[in-house]
Structures are given as structure tokens and as C-alpha cells.
Amino acid sequence: MKLRRIQAIAVKEALQIVRDPRSLMIALLVPLMQMVIFGYGVNLDIRHIPLCVLDHENGQQSRNLVARFAASNYFSLRHAAGSDREVTRALDDGDCGIALVIPADFSQRLNDGGQATVQALLDGTDSNTANIAAGYAKSVVAAFSATAQLDAVQRRGGTLQTQTPVGVQARVWFNEALESRNFIVPGIVALVMAIVGTQLTSLTIAREWERGTMELLVSTPVHPMELMIGKLLPYFAVGLADAAICLGLAVFWFEVPFHGTVVTLLFTSSLFLTVVLCIGYLVSVAIRSQVGASQVALLATMLPTTLLSGFSFPIEQMPAAVQGATFLVSARYYVEILKAVFLKGAGVMELAVPILCLALYAAVVVVLAARAFRKTLD
């Protein structure tokens, strides 16, 4: 390989990036837009679920229960229904996600020391939100029941045995606040880098065909490996800049805690960038239309990265066959690395397995990309 030829190809490609508004927009504007849209749009935390209440009793105890629901951050009281028909209409129209129906003998049952039951009606069109809302409702009712039981015993002059033989003292590590943003935003960095990296390099060879400069390129003594390295070097620099922008936004804008080292992050990001750039180059060699190459690159990276990398859905919960397919997705390893570096402060030794897998992946796609280009016009 001749260094001068690689340098010449790299300078030519860099000039084309600067002169092409579409490439500049993909390189600089798209990562910012994607980080902001995904960072704010993808949020698994559920707060202020709209609540509808039908209180048949309207006594002090029932009002206390409703006040406890309204005071929590989980629910937001939107509607006080006067009949079952209004409750049904509120659920049908989507005005509330949960409806609480309190019976007329609610206080009497509590004061008699019996069991009082309230009905919670949930909108099951969003099963995830319904399950979470049911869990929140049970926790609010359980806290209210404990207080009501203690009050009833004290009124009778007795004492309540509150200690149980076995208790659980839970403490969450690595993401103490259980903020979904802390593990989603690092995954968004991988998604942005995968999409932008492949989009940029999917235009490199296709552009030569569309502009009619492929004949000149083929007639030069440049070796396919020199061509690939020269073509990808400017995009590697752009990709690193995009990675720095995305990671900076994750830390300083979205305030995701960062406990790892910049060296580990830079090393693993370079490996992943090599993978996605070579995939884009492969697509560009196979498809001679810029629009077609861009669409194929988007399809080949966005869906696997979004669905099979563990960024949005836990891999452990997938069927066994789908879990096996995730090993073919390079973003799976990078997402695992990003989460561990950000939240656990893991280093290279702790991440040896995903780093080796990513390095092996990079070696395979580099060889495939280098062998894909043929200096012919067929």
C-alpha cells in the first residue's frame, strides 16, 4: 500500500464532504436532531396517569383515599364521575387511564375492622401502562390500608404489631433513581452512530458511479484496500466528532452519570465506528444509486439496532431464536459496553468479552469491505 495514494483519496473525499450539503447535514445536523428527539421522546417512566374517580360514599375515609391517589406523582385526578356510565365514557374516550370505584359502605367496612374493596378499571389498550398503573394503585392502596388499620387499632386502645419475621431492605445499584433515561440515552448514542456512520459511507462508491468518475478511478493504480482506507478516513474523523457530540449531550445535557474512563469509551467507539463505516461501504459497493444505497443502509442498521441491540427491549426477555439473532448485531455489544461504562464505570478488563466480540466483528467486515470492490466497470 502507498501512503501517498491513500492520502490523495482521503483529501478528495474530504473535499466532497465539504462541498456536498447533504453529507454535511447527515454528518452534523442529524446526530443533534436524533439525540434530542430520542432523548426526550423515548422515556419508559410513567407519571401522572389520568385518574377518574367514582365515589359512591363520598365520606371522609373515601376522600382520604382519593387524596392519597391525587398526592402521588403516579396519578393525576382528571375527572370525578357521578355514575358508572360516566366512568365507562371516560375510559372509552381515553380521558383516563385508570378509574377508581369506591363502594358506598367503604368507611363502614373499615371501621368494623373488615375488608373494604375498591375497584380499579384499567385501559388495557396499552398493556404496559395498564400493568404499571395497577402496580402503582396497589402500592397506594396498601399504604392507605396500613394507615387505616393503625388508626382503627388505636381507636380501640390497642397496639398494632407492625414488625414481620422477614423483611426486605432494597437498595438499587448503578441507577439509584431508577431513571429510564440513564440507560436509554447511552443506547441512543449507539443508534445515532450506527445510522449516521452507515449513511455517510453508503454514498462513497455510489457517488462515483452517478457522477461518472468511476472510469477515472478504475484507471488509476490505486489498490482496492488503499481506496477503502482513503475513502473511510474522513468519515472516521467525522464519526468520532459525532460520537463526541452525542456523548457530550448525554453527559452534560441529559445528565446521565458517567463513571467510566474516556479512554475505554474512545477505544470501543472507534471499534464500533469501524464496523458501521465498513457496512456502509459494503452497501455502497453493491448498489450504484445514492438513494438506493442510502435506503438500504438505513434499513440494515436502524431496525436491528433499535429492536435487537437491547437498547429498547431487554434481550433476556426475547424468545431463544431471537436472542440468538442478536449476536449478529454489532450494536448489541456496543450498547452493553456503553451502559457498563456510563453506569458501572467498567473498564477494558471487565468488558473483555463484548470488546473481543466487537473487535472480531470489525475484523470480519473490514476484510469483506476490502474484498468487495473490484476495479472493473461491469
Side-chain angles (χ1 to χ4, degrees):
M1 286 194 299
K2 299 290 186 181
L3 187 61
R4 289 182 57 188
R5 291 203 287 251
I6 294 175
Q7 184 179 5
I9 295 291
V11 170
K12 172 177 174 292
E13 197 65 30
L15 289 174
Q16 285 185 335
I17 295 174
V18 174
R19 292 170 181 170
D20 185 2
R22 186 168 56 176
S23 295
L24 278 177
M25 187 181 71
I26 293 174
L28 302 176
L29 194 58
V30 170
L32 285 173
M33 292 175 58
Q34 288 178 327
M35 278 297 293
V36 172
I37 292 172
F38 282 111
Y40 284 109
V42 182
N43 191 344
L44 300 182
D45 297 327
I46 297 177
R47 297 285 188 272
H48 304 295
I49 302 167
L51 170 69
C52 172
V53 173
L54 174 57
D55 188 355
H56 287 295
E57 182 194 62
N58 198 22
Q60 186 60 46
Q61 293 276 36
S62 63
R63 287 198 294 270
N64 289 343
L65 177 61
V66 174
R68 193 176 283 263
F69 268 86
S72 71
N73 290 326
Y74 306 137
F75 302 100
S76 179
L77 183 58
R78 297 287 179 82
H79 186 61
S83 64
D84 293 333
R85 180 175 297 178
E86 289 186 29
V87 171
T88 303
R89 190 185 305 127
L91 285 168
D92 287 345
D93 296 343
D95 294 335
C96 68
I98 179 172
L100 193 67
V101 181
I102 302 175
D105 58 349
F106 179 70
S107 297
Q108 182 181 351
R109 283 177 174 270
L110 282 180
N111 294 332
D112 293 344
Q115 184 178 18
T117 303
V118 295
Q119 185 182 31
L121 302 172
L122 297 151
D123 182 358
T125 54
D126 184 346
S127 60
N128 184 53
T129 301
N131 283 327
I132 294 174
Y136 289 162
K138 288 178 181 176
S139 66
V140 172
V141 170
F144 177 82
S145 298
T147 304
Q149 188 179 15
L150 179 62
D151 291 342
V153 172
Q154 288 177 341
R155 280 198 300 272
R156 298 190 190 98
T159 58
L160 181 67
Q161 182 67 32
T162 57
Q163 291 184 345
T164 55
V166 180
V168 176
Q169 189 173 31
R171 181 186 175 190
V172 179
W173 284 16
F174 310 127
N175 184 12
E176 290 82 359
L178 289 177
E179 290 285 343
S180 63
R181 177 176 294 175
N182 290 345
F183 65 86
I184 286 178
V185 169
I188 295 173
V189 174
L191 178 64
V192 171
M193 286 182 63
I195 294 175
V196 174
T198 51
Q199 285 286 296
L200 286 173
T201 51
S202 67
L203 307 178
T204 53
I205 302 301
R207 185 189 296 125
E208 302 287 350
W209 287 107
E210 286 196 351
R211 293 181 177 177
T213 55
M214 183 54 74
E215 290 84 354
L216 293 175
L217 195 60
V218 170
S219 64
T220 62
V222 65
H223 188 272
M225 178 63 86
E226 296 170 342
L227 178 67
M228 186 190 76
I229 296 175
K231 286 279 188 184
L232 296 188
L233 271 179
Y235 295 107
F236 189 81
V238 171
L240 282 182
D242 287 337
I245 292 172
C246 294
L247 295 170
L249 283 173
V251 175
F252 298 109
W253 184 261
F254 292 107
E255 298 180 342
V256 178
F258 180 75
H259 299 298
T261 64
V262 176
V263 174
T264 305
L265 204 57
L266 181 63
F267 173 62
T268 53
S269 297
S270 299
L271 279 178
F272 183 66
L273 200 55
T274 302
V275 172
V276 295
L277 291 181
C278 287
I279 290 175
Y281 184 81
L282 272 169
V283 173
S284 188
V285 171
I287 300 176
R288 299 183 179 185
S289 160
Q290 290 191 70
V291 174
S294 175
Q295 291 176 342
V296 171
L298 184 65
L299 191 65
T301 54
M302 187 168 183
L303 285 179
T305 304
T306 305
L307 301 178
L308 301 178
S309 68
F311 148 62
S312 53
F313 305 106
I315 294 175
E316 296 77 12
Q317 304 301 321
M318 298 177 183
V322 180
Q323 286 189 37
T326 62
F327 289 104
L328 301 176
V329 180
S330 60
R332 171 203 166 112
Y333 309 107
Y334 189 52
V335 168
E336 180 182 347
I337 291 169
L338 283 173
K339 289 180 179 177
V341 171
F342 265 85
L343 300 179
K344 296 182 179 179
V348 174
M349 295 305 295
E350 292 90 345
L351 297 169
V353 173
I355 288 177
L356 283 175
C357 292
L358 200 56
L360 180 63
Y361 208 113
V364 170
V365 292
V366 165
V367 171
L368 291 176
R371 296 171 62 88
F373 182 75
R374 296 284 187 272
K375 293 185 67 177
T376 63
L377 296 177
D378 298 333

